[in-house]
Amino acid sequence: MRDRTFRMQAVLIVLTAAVLSIGSGAFERAVAGQAQTAAAAQAPAGGQGRGRGQAPPTAQAQAPIDLTGWWVSVVTEDWRWRMVTPPKGDYSSIPISPEGRRVGDAWDPAKDEREGNACRSYGAAAIMRVPGRVHVTWQDDSTLKIDTDAGTQTRLLHFGDAQPPAGEQGWQGYSAATWEIAGAAARGGGAAAAPARGAAPVAPAAPRYGSLKVVTTHMKAGYLRKNGVPYSENAVVTEYFDRHNESNGDQWFTVTTTVDDSKYLQQPFITSTGFKKEADGAKWRPTPCAAQ
Amino acid sequence: MLATAVVALIGLTTPLAMQATPARRATESSRRSDRRMFRALCTSCPDTTDFAVRGALQQGGGAPPRDLPAAHAEVHALRVQGNVWMLVGGGGGNITVQAGDDGVLLVDTSLASLSDVVMAEIKKISSKPVNYIINTHVHADHVGGNETFGKASTDFLAPTQVQIIAHESVLNRMSAPTGRQPAFPAGSWPTDTYFTKQKEVFFNSEAIILLHQPAAHTDGDTIVFFRRSDVVSTGDIFQTTTFPFIDTERGGTINGIIAALNNILDITVPRDKQEGGTYVIPGHGRLCDEHDVLEYRDMLTIVRDRVQDGVKKGMTLAQVKASQPTLDYDARWGSNAGPQTTDQFLEKIFDELQATRK
Amino acid sequence: MRNVERVRTASLVLLMLAVCGRPAFAQMDFSGVWAPLFHEDQPERIPGPDIGDYAGLPITEAARTRALAWDASLLTLPEHQCKPHPSTYGFRGVGNLRMWSDQDPATQQLIKINTHIQWQEQHRDIWMDGRPHPPEYAPHTWQGFSTGRWEGDTLVVSTTHLKAGWMRRNGLALTDRATMEDRFYRHGDLLTHVYIISDPVYLSEPLVKTNGFRLALNGRIDPYPCESVVEVPRAKGEVPNHLPGTNHAAEEFAAKHEIPVEAALGGAETALPEFIQKMKTLKVPAQTPAAARPAR
């Protein structure tokens, strides 16, 4: 009797230790797996999700951070290159190439206005540096939308495996988005497949931390700054959005932006821009693009 | 959640084990053994009910500790360096404690009401008797404990006569001519005064230099330099809490304070990159080094220069005040109440500079 | 009877190995040498900011007054020469950054993360072992006292006990009451550093700035010794400063860059987009001829 009790204890202890030693990352994956299993159980046979009957979590459901809401840029850096139009030929801080300098020196804002290119400095490579407000919402559960009041622009950040359409896609180009989950074994995961048709997407236990990664291509050639510092149609913009909350309750996101453009830049141009959350859109003031 | 699992499992196994051996219970020694093992293997685990590995862990640190209310009778000891400690808090002036084989030397003795608390802190530092008290100046929050700490020891085996050392102006202000009521009881008066530029003491294997600072906070100020420990006690010439109190009734002047601060800067030597090295114990406030004195000196010099400029231009006191010569420093150093408001501080500077101009 | 003891001992060992053996959840390795990126504010951060440029910073009137009184000649005083940047500025300055971790050799638990910036050898300990901050009466240092925690992969640091320092190298000061929270985000070989500085005296709201770094596999950190000397003979105790009303640097800066003086003088509103509209209603000063400047 005594020996049986000891054996029961030993088994219990070993099992518990084994479960604990897998670690919390596995715990999260186990939970996600359970959620996926639950979703699969709900999906009808022959659905579109991964595996038979499974409804994978949507990008919206998977979001480790919440970027939705009204945000205002707080310009504590590069003030005189952002809050006012810098003089022609002022390329301070930008690793501009000789070709970029040549094009920049030919900047003609009046010509841009005449030719309908007033929005050149509001393209995806620069828009987050333009002082203004952004409104971030989910257009659908796999598309995050960023509206800007400065220049009245809209960016669509697409989650999923869809390839960008061919050809130039306007000032904002095509943005492919992924979640980077903190502590995930395979970073970059999060591009969820569409849920099974007819299945209600079941949100897994979303990890608490992570970033949004966005890669934007197929942009119309534009300006990194209002004074005509160029980027080409082949530029690639990689952004990381990170959230933080201050101890006084203020909420922020910081977007780290890398612009790769071998034509006009000698090296990737990297900036980081802060936005503070506002309670609502009371100060939202859409304005048209202005070339100067 | 993890801690709960751990505790639950330990809790589960203990009664099970006990049931399995009704004749034997877990001994106290085995529980202690568990605790030691727990601590050895898991120094970063959070507190559990049974196994307190450390004190309460704090994640990330919070806001800095606040000022203690003035009436809060809590005095804290902080080891400075060498033979020197600082006692701070309780609403009185800071006390410097130098302790060693020879005994204990105090610079200032804070408020009389704090003597018991101060004595308790000194006893944690050294069990030796107090041999010397040095007073930086005459104010009650720095000499209040003189009578208590200055009492000669009546221990037959270790008789001690405490010497209370100060500039002679301190004795003059604490005592009174025959027939007049002294400001302080005789037991608190200095027993050994000096009237020259400096005085030297050697105690606990260390040279201690007393440097008179004329017409500074008062007319009897001494700064004390512990040469081997590399610590300077400044009295109220320097503090981290407010603009300096210029005791004009007892011969204090702004130019004297600034000169004294410059003298302190002549003594202090930072260890590296303007940090550490000579430590400075102010009359009130936190432990400092040269850079802290430098900021204070700069601030007072700039304020003085602004008032001086106003006096030179023939401005009235009201005009000088209206020009807000302390605007950039008020929120950090200013005061609207207490022994000296910012307004009063400016008045004293103005009066002194105007008198000097004539 | 001994079996009871063995079971409990074995259970404890297994559990502790399970708990302590697993890696801490979602931490990031910041070890390495990081080269600062000057793709933002390069003129301010390398050659130096214009005197009188306070635009975009949430400064108080006290800070503004203090900055307008500041004379760069102050730095010629021997006691001012070897000051390193405080941690409230250092990450914006020049010089590579090295980060590394210290682990407890027995348990491999993280004790602290170190940062070392080359210029003036700014070394900061970020304590990760849960220790509390020192009491109020402890000395203050240039780097302050820092403790850190993880938010996922992000290192979040809280710093107190800072010496009186600066937020910009043109006299915009911070007091010894300033505190800072900073965050380290790593994305591949990019490090984004965000700092949030609070100062009840010189800031009307927290100042938030970001700095970028790139991992430099061949990066190096050289020593940076400093020795004070008398650069300019002065009377003992002389403190260079501008008397009130004598420093026109803000007007000169504003005129040079064709912005209103109100913008140059800073304040929280100057960082917000709506200030662009307000600037259109404000006067831009004309360039001040050198001859017209009042003599000191």
Side-chain angles (χ1 to χ4, degrees):
Chain A
M1 170 74 172
R2 200 182 298 170
D3 286 342
R4 192 160 62 238
T5 307
F6 290 149
R7 282 198 290 275
M8 280 167 58
Q9 274 175 226
V11 167
L12 180 65
I13 289 158
V14 170
L15 279 174
T16 306
V19 168
L20 290 173
S21 69
I22 290 169
S24 56
F27 174 74
E28 298 287 352
R29 289 193 288 276
V31 169
Q34 287 168 21
Q36 288 197 347
T37 305
Q42 291 182 27
Q48 291 178 5
R50 289 202 190 101
R52 198 177 348 159
Q54 273 190 340
T58 65
Q60 185 175 5
Q62 275 202 321
I65 55 173
D66 181 10
L67 288 163
T68 60
W70 305 90
W71 306 83
V72 61
S73 51
V74 180
V75 185
T76 57
E77 299 171 79
D78 267 356
W79 190 94
R80 58 188 173 88
W81 294 277
R82 295 168 66 193
M83 292 292 280
V84 293
T85 302
K88 185 164 154 179
D90 182 349
Y91 309 123
S92 304
S93 307
I94 300 182
I96 194 168
S97 69
E99 178 61 13
R101 200 175 286 272
R102 186 190 68 78
V103 171
D105 288 348
W107 173 56
D108 184 346
K111 181 170 180 255
D112 283 337
E113 288 277 7
R114 280 195 309 271
E115 295 177 355
N117 288 322
C119 292
R120 267 205 160 129
S121 61
Y122 297 81
I127 188 64
M128 303 304 282
R129 294 292 278 177
V130 177
R133 285 173 167 81
V134 300
H135 185 213
V136 184
T137 54
W138 285 97
Q139 178 167 278
D140 54 57
D141 57 24
S142 61
T143 309
L144 196 59
K145 187 164 86 153
I146 302 178
D147 290 303
T148 74
D149 63 356
T152 319
Q153 297 292 303
T154 297
R155 299 184 65 192
L156 297 176
L157 313 183
H158 305 276
F159 290 81
D161 297 329
Q163 292 302 306
E168 170 244 286
Q169 298 297 310
W171 300 115
Q172 305 308 322
Y174 182 87
S175 296
T178 52
W179 292 118
E180 295 206 333
I181 313 297
R187 293 184 75 76
R197 195 190 316 151
V202 176
R208 288 182 59 219
Y209 302 109
S211 311
L212 171 64
K213 179 180 177 180
V214 180
V215 179
T216 304
T217 55
H218 295 79
M219 295 170 287
K220 213 167 156 174
Y223 296 150
L224 293 174
R225 285 201 185 132
K226 246 181 148 48
N227 65 340
V229 182
Y231 64 87
S232 74
E233 63 278 8
N234 295 319
V236 176
V237 180
T238 306
E239 296 162 293
Y240 293 96
F241 291 74
D242 292 293
R243 282 270 290 109
H244 77 262
N245 297 336
E246 288 180 24
S247 51
N248 66 355
D250 287 345
Q251 299 182 56
W252 289 74
F253 79 77
T254 301
V255 52
T256 302
T257 306
T258 302
V259 180
D260 284 282
D261 186 3
S262 55
K263 186 172 182 184
Y264 294 132
L265 296 171
Q266 291 181 320
Q267 57 178 267
F269 174 50
I270 304 170
T271 57
S272 43
T273 315
F275 286 79
K276 186 158 91 168
K277 196 160 194 177
E278 293 187 316
D280 51 44
K283 296 181 182 172
W284 181 256
R285 298 276 182 274
T287 53
C289 297
Q292 194 158 11
Chain B
M1 188 173 175
L2 186 57
T4 307
V6 167
V7 173
L9 195 64
I10 299 296
L12 192 61
T13 56
T14 304
L16 277 176
M18 289 169 68
Q19 283 170 23
T21 58
R24 157 138 181 185
R25 297 184 183 282
T27 61
E28 178 57 34
S29 64
S30 74
R31 280 198 286 274
R32 282 200 295 273
S33 163
D34 294 341
R35 288 194 198 102
R36 279 196 294 273
M37 188 186 314
F38 192 102
R39 284 193 192 109
L41 291 177
C42 195
T43 56
S44 65
C45 289
D47 268 348
T48 64
T49 309
D50 219 12
F51 299 105
V53 175
R54 319 177 148 223
L57 292 175
Q58 292 180 27
Q59 272 194 316
R66 292 188 215 278
D67 280 332
L68 290 172
H72 197 293
E74 239 189 62
V75 171
H76 304 276
L78 180 69
R79 177 80 187 260
V80 179
Q81 59 188 10
N83 289 339
V84 177
W85 282 255
M86 177 175 98
L87 302 187
V88 59
N94 291 342
I95 296 173
T96 304
V97 179
Q98 189 233 33
D101 290 339
D102 295 346
V104 173
L105 179 148
L106 304 179
V107 177
D108 289 339
T109 54
S110 192
L111 292 165
S113 58
L114 294 176
S115 292
D116 287 346
V117 177
V118 168
M119 178 67 86
E121 288 301 313
I122 293 172
K123 288 298 174 201
K124 289 178 193 172
I125 295 169
S126 172
S127 56
K128 302 257 183 186
V130 174
N131 294 89
Y132 290 100
I133 295 170
I134 300 172
N135 287 138
T136 59
H137 63 288
V138 71
H139 288 151
D141 57 338
H142 291 263
V143 303
N146 278 12
E147 198 170 17
T148 301
F149 296 104
K151 281 192 180 105
S153 164
T154 53
D155 184 342
F156 175 75
L157 293 175
T160 318
Q161 185 67 38
V162 182
Q163 285 195 63
I164 304 176
I165 307 173
H167 189 267
E168 71 171 5
S169 293
V170 174
L171 176 62
N172 291 343
R173 296 199 181 276
M174 290 181 85
S175 61
T178 307
R180 304 265 289 273
Q181 182 68 26
F184 291 85
S188 61
W189 298 352
T191 60
D192 184 0
T193 62
Y194 73 102
F195 57 90
T196 49
K197 278 187 182 171
Q198 70 178 51
K199 180 178 176 62
E200 297 164 356
V201 173
F202 194 88
F203 193 63
N204 287 320
S205 305
E206 173 161 40
I208 304 164
I209 305 170
L210 286 66
L211 297 152
H212 174 52
Q213 305 300 311
H217 172 53
T218 66
D219 60 1
D221 292 334
T222 297
I223 62 175
V224 184
F225 177 35
F226 295 87
R227 201 162 69 175
R228 175 173 281 195
S229 298
D230 203 10
V231 177
V232 178
S233 301
T234 68
D236 283 1
I237 288 168
F238 169 59
Q239 53 181 314
T240 65
T241 51
T242 62
F243 290 125
F245 178 65
I246 308 172
D247 190 349
T248 49
E249 285 182 20
R250 292 174 184 79
T253 67
I254 185 62
N255 279 329
I257 289 173
I258 291 172
L261 290 168
N262 285 316
N263 292 340
I264 294 169
L265 290 174
D266 284 343
I267 296 170
T268 52
V269 179
R271 179 168 173 267
D272 186 36
K273 305 294 190 303
Q274 280 301 126
E275 185 177 286
T278 309
Y279 277 99
V280 179
I281 297 176
H284 298 266
R286 63 176 171 85
L287 184 61
C288 294
D289 60 15
E290 177 175 278
H291 181 260
D292 301 305
V293 179
L294 182 72
E295 286 283 315
Y296 200 70
R297 188 280 310 262
D298 287 357
M299 178 267 292
L300 290 177
T301 304
I302 290 169
V303 169
R304 189 270 319 270
D305 287 355
R306 290 171 181 170
V307 176
Q308 180 88 72
D309 187 56
V311 167
K312 224 189 278 182
K313 288 174 177 164
M315 290 165 78
T316 64
L317 174 60
Q319 287 171 327
V320 166
K321 282 185 184 176
S323 71
Q324 297 183 290
T326 56
L327 172 62
D328 35 352
Y329 300 110
D330 281 337
R332 174 61 181 88
W333 305 101
S335 174
N336 290 328
Q340 177 186 268
T341 63
T342 302
D343 260 7
Q344 290 167 335
F345 173 64
L346 286 173
E347 286 162 15
K348 292 172 185 177
I349 297 174
F350 180 86
D351 290 343
E352 176 187 331
L353 297 178
Q354 197 168 57
T356 318
R357 189 177 176 225
K358 286 177 186 158
Chain C
M1 285 193 275
R2 285 209 191 90
N3 282 340
V4 173
E5 204 55 37
R6 286 194 195 113
V7 165
R8 295 187 69 243
T9 304
S11 71
L12 277 167
V13 170
L14 277 171
L15 285 166
M16 294 312 102
L17 285 172
V19 167
C20 301
R22 70 179 175 92
F25 172 64
Q27 295 176 5
M28 176 61 75
D29 185 6
F30 292 99
S31 303
V33 177
W34 301 86
L37 297 166
F38 294 103
H39 297 174
E40 298 171 83
D41 283 326
Q42 187 269 357
E44 176 211 321
R45 295 163 68 190
I46 303 293
D50 281 89
I51 311 289
D53 175 12
Y54 317 139
L57 303 179
I59 57 173
T60 60
E61 186 63 29
R64 193 173 291 118
T65 305
R66 173 97 184 249
L68 287 169
W70 184 79
D71 185 335
S73 295
L74 187 72
L75 299 175
T76 65
L77 298 182
E79 296 90 353
H80 281 281
Q81 286 170 14
C82 289
K83 299 184 299 189
H85 288 316
S87 56
T88 45
Y89 184 85
F91 286 81
R92 293 191 66 69
V94 69
N96 282 350
L97 160 70
R98 175 186 285 131
M99 295 183 71
W100 71 97
S101 301
D102 288 347
Q103 267 77 19
D104 181 305
T107 64
Q108 292 303 305
Q109 291 298 307
L110 181 60
I111 296 175
K112 69 177 164 116
I113 293 173
N114 304 269
T115 69
H116 182 101
I117 297 173
Q118 177 170 329
W119 190 78
Q120 296 282 35
E121 298 173 346
Q122 306 156 51
H123 182 104
R124 180 155 74 132
D125 297 321
I126 302 172
W127 297 100
M128 304 294 293
D129 58 358
R131 65 183 62 193
H133 285 233
E136 187 196 28
Y137 47 84
H140 287 206
T141 60
W142 289 113
Q143 305 306 307
F145 188 91
S146 298
T147 54
R149 67 181 196 276
W150 295 104
E151 281 186 6
D153 289 351
T154 304
L155 175 62
V156 182
V157 183
S158 171
T159 301
T160 61
H161 291 77
L162 287 155
K163 280 192 177 303
W166 48 91
M167 57 179 117
R168 190 173 272 180
R169 294 183 291 140
N170 59 355
L172 279 173
L174 290 169
T175 69
D176 60 348
R177 299 256 164 99
T179 55
M180 178 173 73
E181 177 176 288
D182 53 339
R183 291 167 165 267
F184 295 79
Y185 300 98
R186 179 174 179 173
H187 299 289
D189 66 350
L190 285 184
L191 171 65
T192 300
H193 174 252
V194 181
Y195 62 37
I196 303 125
I197 302 167
S198 300
D199 186 325
V201 179
Y202 289 146
L203 291 171
S204 60
E205 60 186 58
L207 169 63
V208 181
K209 281 197 179 222
T210 61
N211 311 294
F213 295 82
R214 179 155 234 164
L215 190 65
L217 293 176
N218 297 322
R220 56 182 280 168
I221 302 275
D222 290 324
Y224 204 101
C226 182
E227 182 186 335
S228 305
V229 294
V230 175
E231 290 185 353
V232 178
R234 296 181 191 280
K236 179 171 173 175
E238 181 185 327
V239 177
N241 69 93
H242 290 286
L243 291 169
T246 63
N247 185 358
H248 300 279
E251 289 98 328
E252 290 168 11
F253 171 78
K256 179 176 160 191
H257 294 288
E258 297 177 0
I259 60 174
V261 176
E262 290 86 342
L265 290 174
E269 68 160 349
T270 62
L272 297 175
E274 46 267 44
F275 191 72
I276 296 174
Q277 286 305 313
K278 184 169 179 181
M279 278 197 284
K280 293 175 182 168
T281 67
L282 300 171
K283 219 171 122 181
V284 173
Q287 282 273 0
T288 310
R293 284 186 219 132
R296 284 196 58 195

